Amino acid sequence: MKTTFIQKTILSFFLLFLVQVTAQNKSPRELILIDKDWRFSFGHLYDTKKDFGHAEGYFSYLTKTGFGDGPAASGFDDRAWRKLDLPHDWAVEQPFSESASFSHGFKAAGKNFPEKSIGWYRKKITIPNSDLGRVISLKFDGVFRNSKVFFNGFYLGTEESGYNGFEYDVSAYVNYGGENIISVRVDASMEEGWFYEGAGIYRHVYLQKTNPIYVVQNGTYVTSELVGNNAAVTADVKIKNNGKFKGSIEVIQTILDNKSKQVAVSSENIVAPEFYQTINYSSKLHVENPLLWDLDSPNLYQLITEIKSEGKVIDSYKTSFGIRTIEFNAEQGFFLNGKSIKLKGTNNHQDHAGIGTALPDEIQYYRIQKLKEMGSNAYRCSHHPPTPELLDACDKLGMLVIDETRLMGINEYHLKDLQRMMERDRNHPSIFCWSVGNEEWQIEGGIIGERIANIMQDFSKSIDPTRPVTIGISSGFKSGISSVVEVMGYNYLGNGDIDAHRNQFKQQPGMGTEEGSTFATRGIYFTDDAKHYQSAYDKKPRPTFYSIEEGWKFYSERPYLAGMFIWTGFDYRGEPTPYGWPSVTSYFGMMDVCGFPKDNVFYLKSWWGKEPVLHLLPHWNWSGMEGKEIDVWAYSNCDEVELFLNKKSLGKKKMTQNGHLEWKVNYVLGTLEAVGYKNGEKILSDIQKTTGKAENIKLSSDKENVLKGNISVVTIETTDKNNLHVPIANDEITFSIKGGKILGVGNGDPTSLESDKFIDDIALVAINNFKEQKSNSATLPEQLSNYSDNEWIDAFKDRDYKKQAPSYIYKGEFDLKNNSASNVVSFFYKKIGVQTVVFINGNKVEPSAEDPQKYILSSSILKEGKNTIHIAATPLQKIKDWDVMNTDPGIIQVITPAEPWKRKLFNGYAQIIIQKDENAKEVILSASAKGLRAGSLSLK
Ligand code: GAL
């Protein structure tokens, strides 16, 4: 049916109306998560050819704006690149190598691996015409590291920090009503820390759209003072005008409680800032009888900042905050809401088993929850600004935080990083202290350290005067930074005389910013240096370091010390002290990299937590050690504990405050039982029983610990014929999944060199030696002829585009490492002709159904080693003299499918992190192993 002119006119009016309605209905501010559907490929640190010719152009992106070349150019062909979703850490995907970095857990990426140190990311986004006039920006939460971002070929900037968020305004470069290309070149060749840091875009990325008059990123600052039962809240806001509007705007600030009920509001008309200027505006609001943010009831409020112009809301910005008071007292330690709180803290880096630093938000909650279950109430972000979602988890679950910047110094590099961290984070009620440095050995004991500390401290006060500043000190607690820092950060008892320091600086509060640094391997009870395993009994690790128990006793006995932060809560990749290769993760954690508890967790639960605890160690599977003496320990907060071996009492012992109990027991198989008494009454028991061999695979999910989303952490273990967990099992388990995908596997073994991830390998193979011969016919051949060998010349060399032949035959070569039938090999052709015929090793091939410029090459026509490609094509013609013609025939992509996901159990446990597909109703994870009854788990 033909549409008439009238029908067409009605239709276009209707469409115009629709566009206008949608434009009017747009929320004034949009923050769109753009983590999905990126393309990724490795580039190269110094070989520009392997870096896709980036920065080779006669005019570079620094010479002429918009001249991003290679993958930075809009038109770059990335079809052969890998598809992935963020967050992404390419380091964790690599194998381990002895020549890789000790600090970074021996993953074969980064500085010694130039072909695995540059990652390119590209993404297409559509921006509608109706967005014209808005401020369009890209917001990155964190990229490790040294990223350069391009938008439609325009260079936006370089961000060195691997930890701070950054933002670019792209409004001027947008192709409104069409497609736009984001390109990011990430250079992870340098390390910022001495611990695993990952590589790539490992935090969220957003596209943000606002009105030209808007609240700037991290532009609010909410503080409160408690006056009697009421809170006087000050809400500062920074407003910018990127447009030409002059006149008055109204700023409305509303506070909502945790049930979204309005509890306070203020509004005022002010003069809008001038073009490209920023103004600071502040409101005072009153909240009656506020629900305070506390460890057990982490109440949060929301500030909604609205800007109105001519009666219309043009921006709306949300700030989550809490109302609470904090105070350090040099005599009595730390107070939260006037209540004395001993800080029971842990230090942590940000990686997790299987997934490296690319943590789904749910894993932040999982980890903070695990620390809370251990009785911990404080977290030190050592030694860098964390992911925003970690702080959200601490706000929501009730965990105090020391937020730490990366590097000490007084220049823009250092102070701007500190400022960005503080402006991003200062509304989080969980943060009670800023840390501006850690163990800066070069300066900490001297005058330079003192000067830098003074400047950083005062600088931080200009951004947030409500929180104190600390620095972790290790080389003696006497001079330099120690004498000027607001809250003294003692790193380790063994590094100096804490009491002496305190006697000299009576006005200076203090806390143990690091303590412990003990070595333990989960489930190991005899140190075996040959195997790199450290027994899990809490022991003094090195002459000048102390056990967890010694550390806690020291801190708990001194009220003037606000508390201590154990090094560390979780094991992390890198720093496998006291060993090296082939150990790849630390031994310091109270929990392993998965979050499986080592026995120390139960010591802390006993003295940090509120619940009655009784935990007996070791396990009781010591076949071959019959008659030999075994150290048996009990962690408990009961008054007394009695130990029984096969029902026979081995004696009752009195527990001392912050202590543990020990017995020596000659091993016989059977049941070891501890009974705990309080006020003479039996209240608890714990059993270690000799088990039979592993027979069944058991899967269980930690879903109840996860607050939202599609992520689940699954524990894999084996049980014997009586369904008892087998603590020494190390079977290799193979996994398959339906309705979701596996993100990573781990088991907490510090010496495991097994893969964290099983993903298809994508290799890009260049076509080399590209030659041509002219053909006198415009009809393309169906078969190859015998072309005379000495007539081949370099393709496109000195081509006279005004006098091109009717057609050309091109010849090139590519090398295949193997020709396995399971590989998927594709040729992604880039147009070098109007009409084209492609031959591989003499066989004509047809384009694929999905993409006319993609050829899927069957292994029956391919071979290992050298392959030839011929392309017959009628030439492309120049329209303008200066047109730059494509001379690149394209690239060969070889996909080697991954092996099935698998992992060995380590001392009874492994962990697998799974993600449900968005549209799936359920995920089914199945696990099998030789000689064991398979298991499966369904999650809805
Ligand atoms: C500390 C340092 C930590 C970690 C730890 C290992 O000196 O601050 O980052 O390296 O030692 O023992």
Side-chain angles (χ1 to χ4, degrees), residues 194 349 383 438-439 441 491-492 514 517 542 545 567 572 575 588:
W194 52 98
H349 293 313
H383 303 292
N438 176 68
E439 295 199 358
W441 303 318
N491 275 15
Y492 306 107
E514 285 180 31
S517 222
R542 293 171 267 186
F545 286 76
W567 188 267
Y572 51 95
E575 279 204 321
F588 302 122

Side-chain angles (χ1 to χ4, degrees), residues 3-67:
T3 34
T4 63
F5 173 74
I6 294 178
Q7 278 172 323
K8 272 188 191 157
T9 321
I10 293 174
L11 186 70
S12 34
F13 270 123
F14 177 69
L15 284 178
L16 191 70
F17 170 75
L18 254 190
V19 167
Q20 280 173 353
V21 168
T22 355
Q24 276 163 11
N25 284 353
K26 256 188 197 149
S27 54
R29 167 183 290 263
E30 287 175 79
L31 188 65
I32 305 158
L33 185 69
I34 51 169
D35 281 356
K36 289 239 150 75
D37 299 325
W38 288 73
R39 292 276 185 178
F40 172 80
S41 180
F42 285 112
H44 199 277
L45 186 56
Y46 47 78
D47 183 341
T48 51
K49 285 275 164 299
K50 290 184 182 157
D51 206 28
F52 304 101
H54 173 62
E56 270 184 338
Y58 176 77
F59 289 117
S60 83
Y61 59 88
L62 297 180
T63 325
K64 296 280 180 189
T65 200
F67 269 51

